[in-house]
Amino acid sequence: MNKKMNWTTWQEYVNVVGSHQETIERHADVGNIGNSICHLSVTSPLAVLNPISKGSHMKPHRFCHSSWLAVSLFAFISCQNSNQDANGELDVTATADDSVVNLVYVQWQTDEPGYSWVDYGTDESMELSTPVSEEESTDHSFVLMGLPPMSDVFIQAHTQCESGELTGQTQIGTLNVPSFLPDVDVTVYDADRVDSTPYILTTLLVVNMAGAFNRDGDYLWYRSYDEDHFAFSLGFGADGSTLIQLVNSDPIDAEESLLFEETLDHSSTDTIMAGSAHHDIAILDDGTIAVIGTDVRDWTDPATHETFQVVGDTIVELTPDGTWSTLFTVWDWTEPESGQEWEVSFYSEGEDWTHGNAMSYSAERNSYLLSLGNLDTILEIDRATGAVISSFGAKGEYSIASGSTVFDFQHSPTWTDDGHILLISRSGDESVAVEYELDQQSRQLNEVWTYGQGEGLYAVAMGFVERMDNGNTLINFGSAGVIREVTPEKEVVWEMQTGVGSFFGPVLTFDDFYDMH
């Protein structure tokens, strides 16, 4: 969580922030919010040393009138301010937006410029904090995020100016979420044994939505897509302030994919056409966005002499300067086999051959893991050269050891800290999370941990697995509509389920709405 850092002198803080701050001003019309037309100015940091939280943040400043529910209270300040009365009363206003779920806007003014922040929360301990403002100002404006619906919100505003710290308190209630949001239900929650990560962000498929939840299953944020599009994958921007969504049409069309980037306070958005991108994205620390793409070619079956238009998979990178480049294509690694059965309805361009369904990037190895679901195979691809370093599974140089779970339309391969491969795969009529150790000598994958046997959960589509910092494993059983966190001993310590008519897609976990790394 962002919590404020104490500094010994005001001048020390000014020296630290002043020596590192560089900002740019961006302006954007945000359209009809709260039944009025609003204009906002977003200050986007290029380099800021922030005493409250790591990373860079975008700050919205709204200048408009709307049908927001407003509460204004007076609070005492801790130092004399020339334009205030003898009691030093500071007017702090909090507004709950009736058109954007669970956002609260806080505003106040000071006669003396200063750096500001807000502590807030659903009880008087106010355990959440915004980042410190990036510039000194006499007009102070913050958006509070990560709040559950229908909750009391306790707010304490702070401004640190040269003559001292100004403070003021107020309180407001958040509004309810829209009735069209699909139900989710937390059925298991062992607070003493779950990982400390408080927030889960996932897509909700079938209903074409994405949502962020706390561990109680409360909606903290949501995004709706139109009926012909859905979010296949999610990732956090390199600076942690934005969510990047890979949005596809159904069925997937080479001209319809796009990357949609936004702040979770809805103050800033950007859209990039992404060609044939599908299934998954990876965000690198340098700001590069990698996507799985398609490579469509005519292929003639040598046995039947029948020609097919075949869809293979690629890894394509988009650099921060806007340059697209293809790092890898599956056609350079192998070719279709005679007599292969094709999936004919997934892509509009042709026959689904390899079905790349997941990808992850390892900075330590500088390589990608690419899951080819139709081939029951995973490739490790060198980012520097685009060459296949290793291959695992049915068509790989590493086979599955006897007694271990074989790949069957696997998803979500990642490297663990131990150098093992962790993934989720079908196993008979169930889906299981599996961890494999690599035996370099025998060129085999040996199963060292698994969860899901006997649980009766089968993912026809999707699936995700993540090793948490405390050693637990978060498993999304895709179309089965269940996410579980389990201990190394396979005990369920947290479970969230969807209602009928939707299921969870890819999952992200994060600690802070202002810095989502």
Side-chain angles (χ1 to χ4, degrees):
M1 296 296 177
N2 281 321
K3 293 303 293 179
K4 60 181 179 295
M5 184 182 87
N6 295 322
W7 53 87
T8 55
T9 67
W10 165 241
Q11 190 59 48
E12 178 181 313
Y13 174 63
V14 170
N15 291 341
V16 169
V17 174
S19 65
H20 289 272
Q21 188 168 19
E22 179 183 5
T23 62
I24 60 173
E25 290 291 325
R26 296 197 297 169
H27 297 271
D29 287 315
V30 296
N32 193 330
I33 298 179
N35 299 321
S36 70
I37 302 299
C38 298
H39 190 76
L40 61 85
S41 171
V42 178
T43 301
S44 177
L46 299 180
V48 178
L49 180 62
N50 191 316
I52 285 186
S53 63
K54 64 184 179 180
S56 303
H57 303 274
M58 301 179 70
K59 284 287 186 299
H61 301 277
R62 296 178 179 268
F63 306 98
C64 62
H65 299 284
S66 74
S67 59
W68 295 336
L69 172 66
V71 173
S72 178
L73 297 177
F74 288 104
F76 289 94
I77 61 176
S78 59
C79 63
Q80 184 63 39
N81 206 342
S82 61
N83 290 332
Q84 304 296 332
D85 61 25
N87 293 325
E89 293 180 336
L90 177 66
D91 186 22
V92 180
T93 300
T95 63
D97 195 332
D98 61 2
S99 63
V100 182
V101 66
N102 299 352
L103 298 183
V104 170
Y105 304 96
V106 179
Q107 295 177 318
W108 70 95
Q109 293 181 325
T110 55
D111 296 320
E112 186 179 356
Y115 293 93
S116 300
W117 72 93
V118 177
D119 295 332
Y120 65 102
T122 56
D123 56 42
E124 293 182 351
S125 66
M126 291 180 282
E127 295 184 349
L128 303 175
S129 292
T130 68
V132 170
S133 61
E134 295 147 359
E135 294 181 333
E136 288 186 292
S137 179
T138 58
D139 293 310
H140 311 278
S141 176
F142 289 87
V143 181
L144 310 186
M145 298 187 289
L147 293 165
M150 301 293 288
S151 297
D152 292 331
V153 182
F154 297 83
I155 299 167
Q156 184 167 30
H158 302 261
T159 298
Q160 184 69 48
C161 51
E162 188 170 1
S163 60
E165 182 180 339
L166 315 176
T167 63
Q169 292 190 355
T170 189
Q171 188 174 341
I172 196 171
T174 55
L175 306 175
N176 202 359
V177 297
S179 59
F180 61 78
L181 295 180
D183 292 335
V184 299
D185 186 23
V186 172
T187 55
V188 178
Y189 187 8
D190 185 338
D192 294 331
R193 294 197 293 167
V194 297
D195 186 81
S196 61
T197 306
Y199 305 126
I200 306 292
L201 203 155
T202 181
T203 58
L204 291 156
L205 298 175
V206 182
V207 294
N208 299 353
M209 294 181 58
F213 304 89
N214 59 20
R215 289 299 192 131
D216 293 319
D218 296 315
Y219 275 94
L220 307 181
W221 173 90
Y222 76 93
R223 160 65 62 194
S224 294
Y225 311 99
D226 66 54
E227 62 182 10
D228 297 323
H229 292 82
F230 63 99
F232 231 144
S233 183
L234 307 170
F236 296 131
D239 69 356
S241 69
T242 61
L243 175 68
I244 300 175
Q245 303 146 71
L246 173 59
V247 180
N248 290 105
S249 62
D250 187 14
I252 293 175
D253 188 284
E255 304 302 323
E256 289 286 334
S257 300
L258 57 89
L259 296 171
F260 181 68
E261 183 174 12
E262 65 177 325
T263 54
L264 295 190
D265 63 6
H266 298 278
S267 66
S268 176
T269 63
D270 189 22
T271 300
I272 301 171
M273 297 307 298
S276 63
H278 64 90
H279 273 92
D280 211 354
I281 59 176
I283 317 297
L284 281 58
D285 288 342
D286 65 2
T288 296
I289 302 173
V291 303
I292 303 177
T294 61
D295 184 352
V296 184
R297 304 186 186 186
D298 288 337
W299 176 78
T300 301
D301 188 325
T304 66
H305 305 291
E306 186 177 2
T307 298
F308 299 91
Q309 195 168 32
V310 176
V311 181
D313 290 293
T314 64
I315 293 179
V316 183
E317 293 186 340
L318 172 64
T319 57
D321 66 3
T323 302
W324 288 95
S325 60
T326 299
L327 176 70
F328 168 81
T329 176
V330 72
W331 291 94
D332 290 340
W333 172 68
T334 190
E335 287 192 0
E337 296 179 359
S338 180
Q340 179 168 340
E341 294 184 4
W342 309 105
E343 166 60 54
V344 297
S345 61
F346 194 82
Y347 295 107
S348 61
E349 305 102 306
E351 317 291 350
D352 181 10
W353 168 32
T354 50
H355 195 88
N357 58 17
M359 172 184 59
S360 64
Y361 174 73
S362 167
E364 180 181 357
R365 303 171 72 97
N366 194 30
S367 66
Y368 294 98
L369 286 179
L370 175 63
S371 171
L372 303 176
N374 282 354
L375 302 187
D376 300 331
T377 299
I378 294 171
L379 305 180
E380 182 181 14
I381 298 162
D382 183 19
R383 188 189 176 213
T385 65
V388 175
I389 300 172
S390 300
S391 53
F392 313 94
K395 290 181 68 66
E397 60 178 303
Y398 280 82
S399 61
I400 309 299
S402 176
S404 298
T405 302
V406 299
F407 294 175
D408 183 1
F409 207 68
Q410 72 288 331
H411 280 77
S412 187
T414 58
W415 292 106
T416 70
D417 291 342
D418 297 326
H420 298 172
I421 292 178
L422 181 67
L423 54 80
I424 187 169
S425 177
R426 297 171 182 172
S427 179
D429 58 358
E430 295 180 304
S431 292
V432 295
V434 190
E435 180 179 355
Y436 298 93
E437 182 181 38
L438 279 65
D439 187 327
Q440 303 283 358
Q441 187 171 11
S442 68
R443 296 309 232 200
Q444 289 187 321
L445 297 182
N446 293 296
E447 181 180 303
V448 295
W449 185 87
T450 185
Y451 176 83
Q453 290 91 344
E455 297 299 317
L457 297 171
Y458 181 70
V460 176
M462 307 302 284
F464 171 87
V465 61
E466 176 186 346
R467 182 62 44 80
M468 310 293 280
D469 288 343
N470 70 346
N472 290 349
T473 305
L474 189 71
I475 309 166
N476 170 21
F477 288 93
S479 56
V482 175
I483 300 175
R484 284 181 179 171
E485 182 179 335
V486 301
T487 68
E489 297 74 32
K490 306 180 185 182
E491 297 176 273
V492 180
V493 294
W494 186 79
E495 178 180 280
M496 185 166 73
Q497 300 183 9
T498 57
V500 176
S502 65
F503 64 90
F504 300 117
V507 174
L508 298 175
T509 60
F510 64 107
D511 294 313
D512 188 332
F513 270 78
Y514 300 95
D515 185 356
M516 296 179 287
H517 282 115

